[in-house]
mmCIF file of all heavy atoms in Angstrom:
data_model
loop_
_atom_site.group_PDB
_atom_site.id
_atom_site.type_symbol
_atom_site.label_atom_id
_atom_site.label_comp_id
_atom_site.label_asym_id
_atom_site.label_seq_id
_atom_site.Cartn_x
_atom_site.Cartn_y
_atom_site.Cartn_z
ATOM 1 N N TYR A 19 -15.340 -11.231 17.217
ATOM 2 C CA TYR A 19 -16.452 -11.761 17.990
ATOM 3 C C TYR A 19 -15.888 -12.683 19.073
ATOM 4 O O TYR A 19 -14.911 -13.416 18.844
ATOM 5 C CB TYR A 19 -17.408 -12.550 17.093
ATOM 6 C CG TYR A 19 -18.365 -11.678 16.300
ATOM 7 C CD1 TYR A 19 -17.907 -10.915 15.221
ATOM 8 C CD2 TYR A 19 -19.720 -11.612 16.634
ATOM 9 C CE1 TYR A 19 -18.777 -10.112 14.496
ATOM 10 C CE2 TYR A 19 -20.591 -10.810 15.904
ATOM 11 C CZ TYR A 19 -20.114 -10.061 14.837
ATOM 12 O OH TYR A 19 -20.979 -9.266 14.125
ATOM 13 N N ASN A 20 -16.476 -12.652 20.256
ATOM 14 C CA ASN A 20 -16.076 -13.543 21.343
ATOM 15 C C ASN A 20 -16.745 -14.900 21.134
ATOM 16 O O ASN A 20 -17.978 -14.986 21.096
ATOM 17 C CB ASN A 20 -16.475 -12.969 22.697
ATOM 18 C CG ASN A 20 -15.747 -11.673 23.005
ATOM 19 O OD1 ASN A 20 -14.591 -11.490 22.624
ATOM 20 N ND2 ASN A 20 -16.418 -10.746 23.685
ATOM 21 N N ILE A 21 -15.946 -15.934 20.996
ATOM 22 C CA ILE A 21 -16.460 -17.254 20.620
ATOM 23 C C ILE A 21 -16.154 -18.277 21.707
ATOM 24 O O ILE A 21 -15.026 -18.359 22.198
ATOM 25 C CB ILE A 21 -15.853 -17.714 19.275
ATOM 26 C CG1 ILE A 21 -16.237 -16.722 18.174
ATOM 27 C CG2 ILE A 21 -16.323 -19.121 18.917
ATOM 28 C CD1 ILE A 21 -15.590 -17.011 16.830
ATOM 29 N N PHE A 22 -17.169 -19.046 22.074
ATOM 30 C CA PHE A 22 -17.027 -20.102 23.071
ATOM 31 C C PHE A 22 -17.322 -21.440 22.389
ATOM 32 O O PHE A 22 -18.338 -21.579 21.709
ATOM 33 C CB PHE A 22 -18.012 -19.874 24.217
ATOM 34 C CG PHE A 22 -17.499 -20.332 25.552
ATOM 35 C CD1 PHE A 22 -16.859 -19.457 26.414
ATOM 36 C CD2 PHE A 22 -17.628 -21.653 25.934
ATOM 37 C CE1 PHE A 22 -16.371 -19.885 27.636
ATOM 38 C CE2 PHE A 22 -17.154 -22.093 27.145
ATOM 39 C CZ PHE A 22 -16.522 -21.212 28.008
ATOM 40 N N VAL A 23 -16.420 -22.400 22.562
ATOM 41 C CA VAL A 23 -16.583 -23.728 21.960
ATOM 42 C C VAL A 23 -16.979 -24.704 23.056
ATOM 43 O O VAL A 23 -16.261 -24.865 24.046
ATOM 44 C CB VAL A 23 -15.276 -24.206 21.280
ATOM 45 C CG1 VAL A 23 -15.489 -25.571 20.635
ATOM 46 C CG2 VAL A 23 -14.812 -23.186 20.236
ATOM 47 N N SER A 24 -18.126 -25.358 22.889
ATOM 48 C CA SER A 24 -18.609 -26.303 23.907
ATOM 49 C C SER A 24 -18.698 -27.705 23.309
ATOM 50 O O SER A 24 -18.710 -27.885 22.095
ATOM 51 C CB SER A 24 -19.977 -25.863 24.432
ATOM 52 O OG SER A 24 -20.974 -25.968 23.420
ATOM 53 N N GLY A 25 -18.794 -28.686 24.196
ATOM 54 C CA GLY A 25 -18.912 -30.065 23.734
ATOM 55 C C GLY A 25 -18.562 -31.038 24.842
ATOM 56 O O GLY A 25 -18.073 -30.644 25.905
ATOM 57 N N GLY A 26 -18.807 -32.305 24.593
ATOM 58 C CA GLY A 26 -18.484 -33.340 25.561
ATOM 59 C C GLY A 26 -17.025 -33.740 25.483
ATOM 60 O O GLY A 26 -16.259 -33.240 24.653
ATOM 61 N N THR A 27 -16.646 -34.678 26.352
ATOM 62 C CA THR A 27 -15.276 -35.190 26.347
ATOM 63 C C THR A 27 -14.966 -35.864 25.006
ATOM 64 O O THR A 27 -15.754 -36.663 24.514
ATOM 65 C CB THR A 27 -15.086 -36.203 27.489
ATOM 66 O OG1 THR A 27 -15.382 -35.561 28.724
ATOM 67 C CG2 THR A 27 -13.660 -36.735 27.513
ATOM 68 N N GLY A 28 -13.830 -35.515 24.417
ATOM 69 C CA GLY A 28 -13.422 -36.140 23.163
ATOM 70 C C GLY A 28 -14.158 -35.643 21.937
ATOM 71 O O GLY A 28 -14.076 -36.259 20.870
ATOM 72 N N SER A 29 -14.873 -34.521 22.058
ATOM 73 C CA SER A 29 -15.625 -34.007 20.906
ATOM 74 C C SER A 29 -14.766 -33.146 19.988
ATOM 75 O O SER A 29 -15.206 -32.763 18.899
ATOM 76 C CB SER A 29 -16.844 -33.206 21.384
ATOM 77 O OG SER A 29 -16.450 -32.122 22.213
ATOM 78 N N GLY A 30 -13.539 -32.811 20.415
ATOM 79 C CA GLY A 30 -12.641 -32.040 19.559
ATOM 80 C C GLY A 30 -12.621 -30.553 19.841
ATOM 81 O O GLY A 30 -12.304 -29.756 18.952
ATOM 82 N N LYS A 31 -12.923 -30.161 21.079
ATOM 83 C CA LYS A 31 -12.982 -28.731 21.423
ATOM 84 C C LYS A 31 -11.637 -28.032 21.245
ATOM 85 O O LYS A 31 -11.556 -26.963 20.625
ATOM 86 C CB LYS A 31 -13.464 -28.558 22.877
ATOM 87 C CG LYS A 31 -14.854 -29.092 23.139
ATOM 88 C CD LYS A 31 -15.300 -28.823 24.560
ATOM 89 C CE LYS A 31 -14.448 -29.531 25.596
ATOM 90 N NZ LYS A 31 -14.528 -31.008 25.504
ATOM 91 N N THR A 32 -10.586 -28.626 21.793
ATOM 92 C CA THR A 32 -9.260 -28.007 21.690
ATOM 93 C C THR A 32 -8.799 -27.942 20.240
ATOM 94 O O THR A 32 -8.233 -26.934 19.794
ATOM 95 C CB THR A 32 -8.239 -28.793 22.539
ATOM 96 O OG1 THR A 32 -8.681 -28.820 23.900
ATOM 97 C CG2 THR A 32 -6.865 -28.152 22.474
ATOM 98 N N THR A 33 -9.043 -29.006 19.487
ATOM 99 C CA THR A 33 -8.674 -29.038 18.066
ATOM 100 C C THR A 33 -9.387 -27.926 17.306
ATOM 101 O O THR A 33 -8.785 -27.215 16.491
ATOM 102 C CB THR A 33 -9.032 -30.406 17.456
ATOM 103 O OG1 THR A 33 -8.293 -31.427 18.134
ATOM 104 C CG2 THR A 33 -8.709 -30.444 15.976
ATOM 105 N N PHE A 34 -10.686 -27.753 17.572
ATOM 106 C CA PHE A 34 -11.476 -26.731 16.883
ATOM 107 C C PHE A 34 -10.999 -25.334 17.272
ATOM 108 O O PHE A 34 -10.857 -24.455 16.417
ATOM 109 C CB PHE A 34 -12.957 -26.908 17.218
ATOM 110 C CG PHE A 34 -13.887 -26.193 16.283
ATOM 111 C CD1 PHE A 34 -14.394 -26.826 15.164
ATOM 112 C CD2 PHE A 34 -14.254 -24.877 16.518
ATOM 113 C CE1 PHE A 34 -15.244 -26.166 14.286
ATOM 114 C CE2 PHE A 34 -15.100 -24.203 15.651
ATOM 115 C CZ PHE A 34 -15.604 -24.858 14.531
ATOM 116 N N LEU A 35 -10.741 -25.128 18.566
ATOM 117 C CA LEU A 35 -10.256 -23.827 19.033
ATOM 118 C C LEU A 35 -8.919 -23.491 18.386
ATOM 119 O O LEU A 35 -8.678 -22.357 17.968
ATOM 120 C CB LEU A 35 -10.112 -23.859 20.561
ATOM 121 C CG LEU A 35 -9.628 -22.573 21.235
ATOM 122 C CD1 LEU A 35 -10.640 -21.451 21.029
ATOM 123 C CD2 LEU A 35 -9.399 -22.801 22.726
ATOM 124 N N ASN A 36 -8.071 -24.483 18.282
ATOM 125 C CA ASN A 36 -6.759 -24.291 17.652
ATOM 126 C C ASN A 36 -6.913 -23.899 16.184
ATOM 127 O O ASN A 36 -6.224 -22.998 15.690
ATOM 128 C CB ASN A 36 -5.947 -25.578 17.775
ATOM 129 C CG ASN A 36 -4.469 -25.344 17.670
ATOM 130 O OD1 ASN A 36 -3.828 -24.957 18.639
ATOM 131 N ND2 ASN A 36 -3.913 -25.558 16.491
ATOM 132 N N ALA A 37 -7.839 -24.582 15.491
ATOM 133 C CA ALA A 37 -8.076 -24.278 14.075
ATOM 134 C C ALA A 37 -8.638 -22.860 13.903
ATOM 135 O O ALA A 37 -8.245 -22.130 12.986
ATOM 136 C CB ALA A 37 -9.024 -25.306 13.475
ATOM 137 N N LEU A 38 -9.545 -22.467 14.790
ATOM 138 C CA LEU A 38 -10.113 -21.108 14.733
ATOM 139 C C LEU A 38 -9.039 -20.041 14.904
ATOM 140 O O LEU A 38 -9.086 -18.976 14.285
ATOM 141 C CB LEU A 38 -11.164 -20.926 15.830
ATOM 142 C CG LEU A 38 -12.600 -21.367 15.574
ATOM 143 C CD1 LEU A 38 -13.453 -21.053 16.788
ATOM 144 C CD2 LEU A 38 -13.178 -20.692 14.338
ATOM 145 N N SER A 39 -8.054 -20.328 15.765
ATOM 146 C CA SER A 39 -7.041 -19.328 16.105
ATOM 147 C C SER A 39 -6.193 -18.924 14.894
ATOM 148 O O SER A 39 -5.581 -17.853 14.895
ATOM 149 C CB SER A 39 -6.137 -19.844 17.222
ATOM 150 O OG SER A 39 -5.319 -20.908 16.757
ATOM 151 N N TYR A 40 -6.155 -19.761 13.861
ATOM 152 C CA TYR A 40 -5.355 -19.432 12.679
ATOM 153 C C TYR A 40 -5.957 -18.288 11.865
ATOM 154 O O TYR A 40 -5.293 -17.746 10.977
ATOM 155 C CB TYR A 40 -5.158 -20.670 11.805
ATOM 156 C CG TYR A 40 -4.042 -21.547 12.319
ATOM 157 C CD1 TYR A 40 -4.279 -22.463 13.324
ATOM 158 C CD2 TYR A 40 -2.743 -21.422 11.837
ATOM 159 C CE1 TYR A 40 -3.261 -23.253 13.839
ATOM 160 C CE2 TYR A 40 -1.720 -22.199 12.329
ATOM 161 C CZ TYR A 40 -1.986 -23.120 13.330
ATOM 162 O OH TYR A 40 -0.965 -23.893 13.837
ATOM 163 N N TYR A 41 -7.200 -17.915 12.162
ATOM 164 C CA TYR A 41 -7.813 -16.786 11.471
ATOM 165 C C TYR A 41 -7.511 -15.453 12.155
ATOM 166 O O TYR A 41 -7.897 -14.394 11.659
ATOM 167 C CB TYR A 41 -9.326 -16.985 11.376
ATOM 168 C CG TYR A 41 -9.726 -18.161 10.514
ATOM 169 C CD1 TYR A 41 -10.551 -19.164 11.014
ATOM 170 C CD2 TYR A 41 -9.281 -18.269 9.208
ATOM 171 C CE1 TYR A 41 -10.929 -20.249 10.219
ATOM 172 C CE2 TYR A 41 -9.647 -19.343 8.410
ATOM 173 C CZ TYR A 41 -10.468 -20.332 8.927
ATOM 174 O OH TYR A 41 -10.820 -21.395 8.141
ATOM 175 N N ILE A 42 -6.854 -15.491 13.306
ATOM 176 C CA ILE A 42 -6.504 -14.254 14.000
ATOM 177 C C ILE A 42 -5.415 -13.537 13.195
ATOM 178 O O ILE A 42 -4.410 -14.148 12.828
ATOM 179 C CB ILE A 42 -5.999 -14.551 15.431
ATOM 180 C CG1 ILE A 42 -7.115 -15.201 16.260
ATOM 181 C CG2 ILE A 42 -5.513 -13.270 16.108
ATOM 182 C CD1 ILE A 42 -6.666 -15.662 17.637
ATOM 183 N N PRO A 43 -5.587 -12.258 12.907
ATOM 184 C CA PRO A 43 -4.566 -11.523 12.143
ATOM 185 C C PRO A 43 -3.189 -11.623 12.797
ATOM 186 O O PRO A 43 -3.068 -11.568 14.023
ATOM 187 C CB PRO A 43 -5.095 -10.080 12.158
ATOM 188 C CG PRO A 43 -6.586 -10.236 12.286
ATOM 189 C CD PRO A 43 -6.775 -11.428 13.181
ATOM 190 N N LYS A 44 -2.158 -11.786 11.980
ATOM 191 C CA LYS A 44 -0.802 -12.051 12.471
ATOM 192 C C LYS A 44 -0.218 -10.897 13.282
ATOM 193 O O LYS A 44 0.700 -11.092 14.077
ATOM 194 C CB LYS A 44 0.136 -12.372 11.289
ATOM 195 C CG LYS A 44 -0.275 -13.616 10.508
ATOM 196 C CD LYS A 44 -0.199 -14.865 11.379
ATOM 197 C CE LYS A 44 -0.588 -16.123 10.618
ATOM 198 N NZ LYS A 44 -2.037 -16.303 10.523
ATOM 199 N N GLU A 45 -0.718 -9.667 13.086
ATOM 200 C CA GLU A 45 -0.141 -8.526 13.801
ATOM 201 C C GLU A 45 -0.653 -8.414 15.243
ATOM 202 O O GLU A 45 -0.178 -7.565 16.008
ATOM 203 C CB GLU A 45 -0.416 -7.214 13.046
ATOM 204 C CG GLU A 45 -1.894 -6.825 12.952
ATOM 205 C CD GLU A 45 -2.595 -7.421 11.739
ATOM 206 O OE1 GLU A 45 -2.015 -8.343 11.111
ATOM 207 O OE2 GLU A 45 -3.703 -6.963 11.427
ATOM 208 N N GLU A 46 -1.607 -9.258 15.632
ATOM 209 C CA GLU A 46 -2.186 -9.147 16.970
ATOM 210 C C GLU A 46 -1.399 -9.963 17.994
ATOM 211 O O GLU A 46 -0.791 -10.978 17.681
ATOM 212 C CB GLU A 46 -3.650 -9.599 16.940
ATOM 213 C CG GLU A 46 -4.528 -8.678 16.117
ATOM 214 C CD GLU A 46 -6.007 -9.016 16.257
ATOM 215 O OE1 GLU A 46 -6.358 -9.748 17.192
ATOM 216 O OE2 GLU A 46 -6.797 -8.536 15.426
ATOM 217 N N ARG A 47 -1.450 -9.487 19.240
ATOM 218 C CA ARG A 47 -0.772 -10.157 20.360
ATOM 219 C C ARG A 47 -1.752 -11.132 21.013
ATOM 220 O O ARG A 47 -2.811 -10.732 21.496
ATOM 221 C CB ARG A 47 -0.290 -9.121 21.370
ATOM 222 C CG ARG A 47 0.427 -9.694 22.599
ATOM 223 C CD ARG A 47 1.036 -8.552 23.397
ATOM 224 N NE ARG A 47 1.561 -8.937 24.684
ATOM 225 C CZ ARG A 47 2.773 -9.462 24.899
ATOM 226 N NH1 ARG A 47 3.560 -9.686 23.852
ATOM 227 N NH2 ARG A 47 3.198 -9.744 26.107
ATOM 228 N N ILE A 48 -1.372 -12.406 21.022
ATOM 229 C CA ILE A 48 -2.233 -13.468 21.546
ATOM 230 C C ILE A 48 -1.627 -14.023 22.829
ATOM 231 O O ILE A 48 -0.432 -14.320 22.887
ATOM 232 C CB ILE A 48 -2.384 -14.618 20.530
ATOM 233 C CG1 ILE A 48 -2.860 -14.089 19.176
ATOM 234 C CG2 ILE A 48 -3.329 -15.682 21.061
ATOM 235 C CD1 ILE A 48 -2.809 -15.127 18.066
ATOM 236 N N ILE A 49 -2.459 -14.182 23.851
ATOM 237 C CA ILE A 49 -2.021 -14.820 25.095
ATOM 238 C C ILE A 49 -2.874 -16.060 25.311
ATOM 239 O O ILE A 49 -4.109 -15.980 25.345
ATOM 240 C CB ILE A 49 -2.141 -13.864 26.288
ATOM 241 C CG1 ILE A 49 -1.201 -12.672 26.092
ATOM 242 C CG2 ILE A 49 -1.806 -14.590 27.589
ATOM 243 C CD1 ILE A 49 -1.239 -11.645 27.189
ATOM 244 N N THR A 50 -2.235 -17.222 25.418
ATOM 245 C CA THR A 50 -2.964 -18.462 25.683
ATOM 246 C C THR A 50 -2.734 -18.885 27.127
ATOM 247 O O THR A 50 -1.623 -18.769 27.656
ATOM 248 C CB THR A 50 -2.524 -19.600 24.740
ATOM 249 O OG1 THR A 50 -1.170 -19.963 25.006
ATOM 250 C CG2 THR A 50 -2.665 -19.184 23.290
ATOM 251 N N ILE A 51 -3.793 -19.373 27.752
ATOM 252 C CA ILE A 51 -3.760 -19.786 29.159
ATOM 253 C C ILE A 51 -4.371 -21.174 29.238
ATOM 254 O O ILE A 51 -5.516 -21.388 28.824
ATOM 255 C CB ILE A 51 -4.555 -18.795 30.035
ATOM 256 C CG1 ILE A 51 -3.908 -17.401 29.969
ATOM 257 C CG2 ILE A 51 -4.648 -19.279 31.474
ATOM 258 C CD1 ILE A 51 -4.748 -16.298 30.592
ATOM 259 N N GLU A 52 -3.609 -22.131 29.791
ATOM 260 C CA GLU A 52 -4.076 -23.513 29.826
ATOM 261 C C GLU A 52 -3.646 -24.215 31.107
ATOM 262 O O GLU A 52 -2.646 -23.846 31.727
ATOM 263 C CB GLU A 52 -3.509 -24.291 28.632
ATOM 264 C CG GLU A 52 -3.872 -23.729 27.275
ATOM 265 C CD GLU A 52 -3.189 -24.483 26.165
ATOM 266 O OE1 GLU A 52 -3.713 -25.538 25.757
ATOM 267 O OE2 GLU A 52 -2.118 -24.045 25.715
ATOM 268 N N ASP A 53 -4.417 -25.242 31.476
ATOM 269 C CA ASP A 53 -4.025 -26.125 32.578
ATOM 270 C C ASP A 53 -2.809 -26.947 32.173
ATOM 271 O O ASP A 53 -1.868 -27.114 32.932
ATOM 272 C CB ASP A 53 -5.173 -27.080 32.931
ATOM 273 C CG ASP A 53 -6.003 -26.547 34.085
ATOM 274 O OD1 ASP A 53 -5.477 -25.731 34.853
ATOM 275 O OD2 ASP A 53 -7.168 -26.938 34.212
ATOM 276 N N SER A 54 -2.891 -27.505 30.985
ATOM 277 C CA SER A 54 -1.795 -28.288 30.422
ATOM 278 C C SER A 54 -1.682 -27.887 28.962
ATOM 279 O O SER A 54 -2.654 -27.992 28.216
ATOM 280 C CB SER A 54 -2.093 -29.790 30.553
ATOM 281 O OG SER A 54 -1.026 -30.563 30.090
ATOM 282 N N ALA A 55 -0.523 -27.384 28.569
ATOM 283 C CA ALA A 55 -0.366 -26.774 27.246
ATOM 284 C C ALA A 55 -0.702 -27.755 26.123
ATOM 285 O O ALA A 55 -0.044 -28.776 25.966
ATOM 286 C CB ALA A 55 1.063 -26.256 27.080
ATOM 287 N N GLU A 56 -1.764 -27.441 25.364
ATOM 288 C CA GLU A 56 -2.218 -28.307 24.279
ATOM 289 C C GLU A 56 -2.341 -27.559 22.961
ATOM 290 O O GLU A 56 -2.205 -28.152 21.893
ATOM 291 C CB GLU A 56 -3.587 -28.918 24.626
ATOM 292 C CG GLU A 56 -3.577 -29.775 25.874
ATOM 293 C CD GLU A 56 -4.986 -30.167 26.303
ATOM 294 O OE1 GLU A 56 -5.933 -29.924 25.523
ATOM 295 O OE2 GLU A 56 -5.144 -30.689 27.411
ATOM 296 N N LEU A 57 -2.637 -26.276 23.027
ATOM 297 C CA LEU A 57 -2.832 -25.496 21.806
ATOM 298 C C LEU A 57 -1.536 -25.443 21.005
ATOM 299 O O LEU A 57 -0.443 -25.344 21.569
ATOM 300 C CB LEU A 57 -3.300 -24.080 22.148
ATOM 301 C CG LEU A 57 -4.705 -23.975 22.753
ATOM 302 C CD1 LEU A 57 -4.962 -22.568 23.273
ATOM 303 C CD2 LEU A 57 -5.763 -24.367 21.732
ATOM 304 N N GLN A 58 -1.666 -25.513 19.684
ATOM 305 C CA GLN A 58 -0.505 -25.511 18.783
ATOM 306 C C GLN A 58 -0.635 -24.361 17.792
ATOM 307 O O GLN A 58 -0.794 -24.567 16.594
ATOM 308 C CB GLN A 58 -0.416 -26.847 18.045
ATOM 309 C CG GLN A 58 -0.221 -28.053 18.954
ATOM 310 C CD GLN A 58 -0.350 -29.359 18.192
ATOM 311 O OE1 GLN A 58 -1.443 -29.752 17.798
ATOM 312 N NE2 GLN A 58 0.762 -30.033 17.970
ATOM 313 N N ILE A 59 -0.575 -23.150 18.296
ATOM 314 C CA ILE A 59 -0.679 -21.964 17.440
ATOM 315 C C ILE A 59 0.735 -21.631 16.967
ATOM 316 O O ILE A 59 1.526 -21.046 17.698
ATOM 317 C CB ILE A 59 -1.308 -20.785 18.210
ATOM 318 C CG1 ILE A 59 -2.654 -21.207 18.807
ATOM 319 C CG2 ILE A 59 -1.489 -19.579 17.293
ATOM 320 C CD1 ILE A 59 -3.283 -20.177 19.715
ATOM 321 N N LEU A 60 1.055 -22.016 15.741
ATOM 322 C CA LEU A 60 2.439 -21.970 15.279
ATOM 323 C C LEU A 60 2.793 -20.722 14.494
ATOM 324 O O LEU A 60 3.956 -20.351 14.409
ATOM 325 C CB LEU A 60 2.731 -23.215 14.420
ATOM 326 C CG LEU A 60 2.487 -24.573 15.079
ATOM 327 C CD1 LEU A 60 2.786 -25.683 14.095
ATOM 328 C CD2 LEU A 60 3.334 -24.725 16.336
ATOM 329 N N GLU A 61 1.811 -20.067 13.894
ATOM 330 C CA GLU A 61 2.120 -18.986 12.958
ATOM 331 C C GLU A 61 1.822 -17.597 13.520
ATOM 332 O O GLU A 61 1.679 -16.643 12.767
ATOM 333 C CB GLU A 61 1.345 -19.204 11.653
ATOM 334 C CG GLU A 61 1.762 -20.486 10.929
ATOM 335 C CD GLU A 61 0.999 -20.693 9.638
ATOM 336 O OE1 GLU A 61 0.296 -19.754 9.216
ATOM 337 O OE2 GLU A 61 1.107 -21.784 9.049
ATOM 338 N N ALA A 62 1.729 -17.478 14.848
ATOM 339 C CA ALA A 62 1.491 -16.175 15.470
ATOM 340 C C ALA A 62 2.823 -15.631 15.992
ATOM 341 O O ALA A 62 3.387 -16.179 16.941
ATOM 342 C CB ALA A 62 0.490 -16.307 16.613
ATOM 343 N N PRO A 63 3.367 -14.584 15.386
ATOM 344 C CA PRO A 63 4.681 -14.076 15.821
ATOM 345 C C PRO A 63 4.671 -13.487 17.225
ATOM 346 O O PRO A 63 5.656 -13.589 17.949
ATOM 347 C CB PRO A 63 5.015 -13.013 14.768
ATOM 348 C CG PRO A 63 3.715 -12.642 14.143
ATOM 349 C CD PRO A 63 2.851 -13.856 14.223
#
């Protein structure tokens, strides 16, 4: 499902998005695009 996370400044959007990303199956190819690298997706080969 395509998921959009919304909220105000300091509401934890990036943290929540990062946590959601851990449910992505490990065999999939993930591309992250950011203004300033903040996401910490550590277990995606």
Side-chain angles (χ1 to χ4, degrees):
Y19 280 72
N20 296 326
I21 299 175
F22 213 94
V23 181
S24 67
T27 302
S29 59
K31 298 183 296 296
T32 302
T33 299
F34 197 92
L35 181 64
N36 203 81
L38 275 181
S39 69
Y40 279 84
Y41 295 125
I42 297 174
K44 298 296 181 279
E45 65 272 14
E46 294 188 15
R47 180 171 171 83
I48 306 170
I49 296 179
T50 66
I51 298 170
E52 301 175 83
D53 264 337
S54 183
E56 299 171 10
L57 292 170
Q58 298 171 288
I59 306 173
L60 303 179
E61 296 180 10

